[in-house]
Amino acid sequence: MNTNELIYIISDSVCETAETMVKAVASQFNRGEVRIQHISYVEDIKDLKNIITASKETNSIIAYTIVVPFLKQYLDHKAREEGVIAVDLMNPLMEAFIQKFNKVPKGEPKLMRKLDDDYFRRVEAIEFAVKHDDGQDPKGIKFADIVLIGVSRTSKTPLSMYLARKGYKVANIPLVPEIAPPDYLFEISKNKCVGLVITPDKLTGIRRERLKHLGLTSDANYANLKRIFQELEYAENLMKRIGCPIINVSNKAIEETADLILAMLKKEESYIINKFV
């Protein structure tokens, strides 16, 4: 390899995978530094034709990760015709997958990037849920996809985290009779807010267990049945004022409640789309 030679790396997505492989191979020939020309997001034959011409003129190798069938076929055929070395870096493993799983690949570019975007969206949602847990930073209500409201121990936090792992930004607000709710609750769409309620006896048991876990006596006001009735009445009245959907979580798993919330959310999104289409 002389100083005038290049390695063209072509992809119908980004070139990160191909570049890593090319550098790994080059290192086996004491070529830790190689001249690389990236051509990312190739979408048509014209781009490939120009690259093959340039590669022939510079006596270069083409290394590629192209999954769109007609682009790959053209590149393989034209490179052979022009006497250019073109190496498909994905094909051997792709063929192994086809044999092993007896399935045809999708042939769609940028799927890894889509996965990465989904991952970062979920991370961002989890960070949002942590920041806006238990009434922290009420202004965040305006930016949430879902706002959960309810008295203490109605599964607001675990439900927020479960939904966040699915990519939804969730804020949750505890409802306490002595503390006025944030004004933002009355400014957002009522269908983005979800009220969580529970039967008094179920809540009493949960709170007593919580006090026991903390090493406190079960006769504290927190688990007092009269106080619990007062809190639940206040919460339900507030939810009716807001006009939000209400879910009784007494005998529901987190997953079941989350599915109900997402079904409500999708129904609302569908209504908005249909209304304005």
Side-chain angles (χ1 to χ4, degrees), residues 235-249:
E236 289 193 47
N237 287 337
L238 182 62
M239 291 169 192
K240 288 174 183 176
R241 275 177 58 200
I242 294 171
C244 65
I246 300 172
I247 298 176
N248 190 321
V249 299

Side-chain angles (χ1 to χ4, degrees), residues 256-274:
E256 187 180 357
T257 305
D259 287 344
L260 285 172
I261 291 171
L262 294 180
M264 291 176 186
L265 191 66
K266 287 175 183 174
K267 186 177 180 181
E268 172 67 9
E269 288 172 348
S270 175
Y271 169 76
I272 292 171
I273 290 169
N274 292 332

Side-chain angles (χ1 to χ4, degrees), residues 121-246:
R121 181 170 60 87
R122 284 185 282 116
V123 169
E124 184 180 0
I126 291 169
E127 290 175 347
F128 184 94
V130 170
K131 184 178 179 182
H132 299 91
D133 181 41
D134 203 31
Q136 299 180 81
D137 191 13
K139 295 189 296 294
I141 291 173
K142 297 184 294 183
F143 308 105
D145 298 316
I146 302 166
V147 179
L148 304 177
I149 59 174
V151 301
S152 174
R153 314 312 294 176
T154 47
S155 303
K156 296 185 300 298
T157 294
L159 190 52
S160 294
M161 296 305 164
Y162 182 87
L163 290 166
R165 285 196 291 271
K166 290 182 173 291
Y168 294 91
K169 293 180 179 178
V170 186
N172 73 75
I173 306 293
L175 300 181
V176 183
E178 294 77 17
I179 302 175
D183 292 336
Y184 301 108
L185 272 180
F186 301 93
E187 297 171 5
I188 61 173
S189 167
K190 63 183 180 181
N191 293 303
K192 190 164 74 169
C193 181
V194 178
L196 305 177
V197 297
I198 189 171
T199 58
D201 59 327
K202 185 80 172 180
L203 184 56
T204 302
I206 292 172
R207 287 192 176 182
R208 283 179 177 170
E209 281 299 314
R210 176 63 174 165
L211 290 172
K212 184 179 177 181
H213 179 73
L214 295 172
L216 302 173
T217 59
S218 60
D219 59 354
N221 195 43
Y222 181 68
N224 179 277
L225 190 58
K226 183 178 179 181
R227 167 66 182 184
I228 285 174
F229 270 110
Q230 181 188 359
E231 287 186 36
L232 290 173
E233 183 180 10
Y234 166 77
E236 289 193 47
N237 287 337
L238 182 62
M239 291 169 192
K240 288 174 183 176
R241 275 177 58 200
I242 294 171
C244 65
I246 300 172

Side-chain angles (χ1 to χ4, degrees), residues 21 40 50 85 130 160:
M21 293 182 70
S40 303
N50 292 337
I85 298 174
V130 170
S160 294

Side-chain angles (χ1 to χ4, degrees), residues 15-16 78 235:
C15 293
E16 295 168 352
K78 192 66 177 176

Side-chain angles (χ1 to χ4, degrees), residues 73-89:
Q73 289 166 10
Y74 176 83
L75 177 54
D76 287 340
H77 174 76
K78 192 66 177 176
R80 281 196 302 269
E81 192 177 82
E82 298 294 333
V84 172
I85 298 174
V87 183
D88 183 347
L89 299 177

